[in-house]
Amino acid sequence: MAQPAPSSPFAYTYTYEYDVFLSFRGEDTRTDFTGNLYSALSQRGVLTFIDDDGLQKGEEITPSLFHAIQKSRMAIIVFSKNYASSSFCLNELVQILECYTKQKMWIWPVFYDVDPSEVRHQTGSYGEAFAKHERGRFKDDKVKLQKWRLALNQAAVLFGSHFKHGGEYEHEFIRKIIEVISRKLNRPLLYIANYPVGLEARVEDVHSLIGSKFNDKVNMLGIHGIGGIGKSTIARAVYNLLAYQFEGSCFLANVREQSTRHGLEQIQEKILSELVGERNLSIIIITTRDKHLLDFHGVKKIYEVNNFSDNEAFELFRWNALKNNEVDPSYMEMMKRAIHFARGLPLALEAIGSNLFGKTLDEWESALEACERIPNRDVQQILKVSYDGLEENEKEIFLT
């Protein structure tokens, strides 16, 4: 893994306007390196934001520029000798690092004729720039100075590119960056859900459990829970979150474990065959209803998916059944009954809610009575009844 990606609403389903945001000191590199990099990115079809429209007004980030940062999938930061002398660049960097933390923005630092240690520890030209900031108008703003230092340190420890004049041709250096960016962008997002409820916290839990340090061995993590609890949804979201950090990745659905003795070996073999020729395979995430299978094969990192809370269940059901935030009081009692049948299972909440969408109160009553007649309130049978009540096009959407 090149770097840990630390939320805007669900970064793994986030909608972007730009592929790349370029952060740079205009006086240093606009007309040469950064200009050439922007041209090369554009020629490759990478939608890149570069501030050529005068958005840098004053020293604070304008709303338009902040919007461009937020709506960019990744940022390339060109650390040149005078980058830190610009308070605007430093404020921009702070915003980029906030997006890195909150919405999983991917960052690629470029150290342009500057040693990464100078950026990390604010020495050399970066130390001189901070000395001027501390003597000048920011001498009493210790909080801002500390934010700048922290942002530089955080960005400089990320994996990136280092260019030294005389070390290689600049066009070859740019070509290598373009290849990296192109590979990262060539990771189509897996479908998650039209309305993901409670997903962000669960994905964060799994991400924390995975950690950020890996060795050359295969690291395995298990996600287990009962059917319909959302295991695959969480796995797809984690995949979207992490896949671009690896040279190769794949997502295999419905791989059946034929036995506890050989199940995981078969899964590993299939995954390895999918990634033949790729390097640095680091993580395999397995979803299963059978925790014993994970224990049997020594999977140490295990995440158990719990049922939805009452609030989460209400929100997901309300969206599927009503498609809005307003609830007619006459439907409230029916909603409580339906949510009770679903037993906190996301799949059941979606199926029952989708079946009831657009129907009258009497039709809700009839559908819920059908659920009540199912022996022992078996959730799988309730799912089947709800699914059978959908239109054909709705069934197709539900199964995606």
Side-chain angles (χ1 to χ4, degrees):
M1 181 179 291
Q3 57 177 307
S7 86
S8 100
F10 313 109
Y12 25 81
T13 59
Y14 203 65
T15 301
Y16 300 100
E17 294 180 9
Y18 303 99
D19 295 319
V20 172
F21 180 93
L22 280 175
S23 176
F24 62 99
R25 181 75 161 109
E27 296 176 6
D28 284 359
T29 65
R30 180 187 296 276
T31 59
D32 42 52
F33 174 76
T34 300
N36 293 333
L37 175 60
Y38 173 74
S39 177
L41 286 166
S42 298
Q43 289 175 14
R44 183 61 72 91
V46 178
L47 188 59
T48 306
F49 179 89
I50 185 171
D51 179 24
D52 270 335
D53 299 321
L55 295 181
Q56 294 188 16
K57 299 175 181 178
E59 295 180 343
E60 297 301 322
I61 302 296
T62 64
S64 297
L65 198 61
F66 181 57
H67 176 83
I69 295 172
Q70 282 189 314
K71 289 297 183 177
S72 296
R73 182 175 176 182
M74 59 181 66
I76 298 177
I77 306 168
V78 182
F79 289 117
S80 54
K81 288 189 179 295
N82 297 307
Y83 185 94
S85 66
S86 167
S87 59
F88 186 93
C89 286
L90 293 172
N91 286 330
E92 186 175 82
L93 179 65
V94 169
Q95 295 297 332
I96 290 172
L97 266 295
E98 286 188 7
C99 289
Y100 169 80
T101 301
K102 293 180 179 179
Q103 67 189 47
K104 315 298 184 288
M105 171 185 273
W106 185 72
I107 296 176
W108 188 263
V110 174
F111 303 96
Y112 187 75
D113 213 27
V114 170
D115 193 279
S117 65
E118 292 184 33
V119 181
R120 187 181 307 121
H121 302 296
Q122 294 91 61
T123 59
S125 63
Y126 280 66
E128 294 171 6
F130 267 85
K132 290 181 180 179
H133 290 318
E134 289 169 346
R135 292 195 304 268
R137 60 186 298 265
F138 299 105
K139 63 181 179 180
D140 296 324
D141 198 342
K142 304 299 182 184
V143 174
K144 183 180 287 289
L145 289 168
Q146 183 59 28
K147 282 185 177 181
W148 289 347
R149 288 187 180 277
L150 181 60
L152 287 167
N153 181 269
Q154 286 181 303
V157 299
L158 300 177
F159 199 79
S161 303
H162 185 195
F163 178 80
K164 294 182 180 180
H165 282 296
E168 62 180 310
Y169 289 112
E170 190 171 286
H171 69 83
E172 181 64 17
F173 180 74
I174 289 176
R175 184 191 66 78
K176 293 177 182 176
I177 295 175
I178 300 301
E179 291 303 318
V180 170
I181 300 304
S182 296
R183 287 200 303 270
K184 300 301 180 185
L185 289 174
N186 190 27
R187 293 285 190 271
L189 295 178
L190 299 175
Y191 171 78
I192 301 299
N194 288 327
Y195 194 77
V197 174
L199 184 58
E200 185 173 15
R202 289 165 172 83
V203 170
E204 290 296 338
D205 289 342
V206 173
H207 185 242
S208 299
L209 189 59
I210 291 173
S212 59
K213 295 181 180 180
F214 300 95
N215 49 41
D216 294 332
K217 298 180 181 179
V218 175
N219 298 268
M220 294 195 296
L221 177 135
I223 300 177
H224 87 94
I226 61 177
I229 197 69
K231 302 182 295 298
S232 295
T233 300
I234 294 171
R236 287 194 295 268
V238 173
Y239 176 93
N240 285 347
L241 188 64
L242 301 179
Y244 68 86
Q245 300 183 28
F246 295 86
E247 293 185 11
S249 61
C250 70
F251 188 92
L252 303 177
N254 299 321
V255 178
R256 303 293 181 180
E257 309 102 66
Q258 296 181 1
S259 70
T260 55
R261 179 175 297 277
H262 301 294
L264 287 188
E265 285 87 345
Q266 291 176 339
I267 294 172
Q268 288 185 26
E269 182 180 351
K270 186 168 179 63
I271 291 176
L272 291 171
S273 67
E274 291 282 337
L275 294 176
V276 63
E278 301 288 355
R279 297 174 294 165
N280 301 326
L281 177 63
S282 295
I283 305 174
I284 293 178
I285 299 177
I286 303 146
T287 64
T288 180
R289 301 180 188 184
D290 186 4
K291 183 176 181 293
H292 174 71
L293 176 67
L294 303 174
D295 294 334
F296 184 86
H297 288 279
V299 179
K300 301 299 183 183
K301 295 182 177 181
I302 299 175
Y303 180 76
E304 180 179 3
V305 186
N306 295 318
N307 289 34
F308 269 15
S309 67
D310 291 343
N311 288 337
E312 290 172 331
F314 182 84
E315 183 181 356
L316 182 59
F317 179 82
R318 174 189 51 74
W319 189 88
N320 280 278
L322 303 176
K323 297 294 191 292
N324 61 53
N325 294 322
E326 300 297 326
V327 179
D328 186 328
S330 63
Y331 278 80
M332 186 61 71
E333 196 60 39
M334 292 287 190
M335 291 183 67
K336 291 179 181 179
R337 285 171 61 186
I339 292 170
H340 174 71
F341 294 149
R343 298 185 183 178
L345 293 180
L347 187 62
L349 290 162
E350 290 179 352
I352 299 172
S354 297
N355 181 35
L356 297 176
F357 174 67
K359 295 183 178 179
T360 66
L361 195 60
D362 287 340
E363 289 173 317
W364 276 47
E365 177 73 34
S366 178
L368 294 179
E369 285 179 354
C371 291
E372 289 175 337
R373 288 194 293 269
I374 295 173
N376 301 318
R377 304 291 193 273
D378 182 81
V379 173
Q380 297 302 319
Q381 286 299 313
I382 291 174
L383 276 171
K384 185 177 186 306
V385 169
S386 300
Y387 175 79
D388 290 342
L390 299 174
E391 300 293 335
E392 289 303 317
N393 63 321
E394 294 174 324
K395 290 180 180 179
E396 292 181 8
I397 295 172
F398 186 74
L399 292 174
T400 57

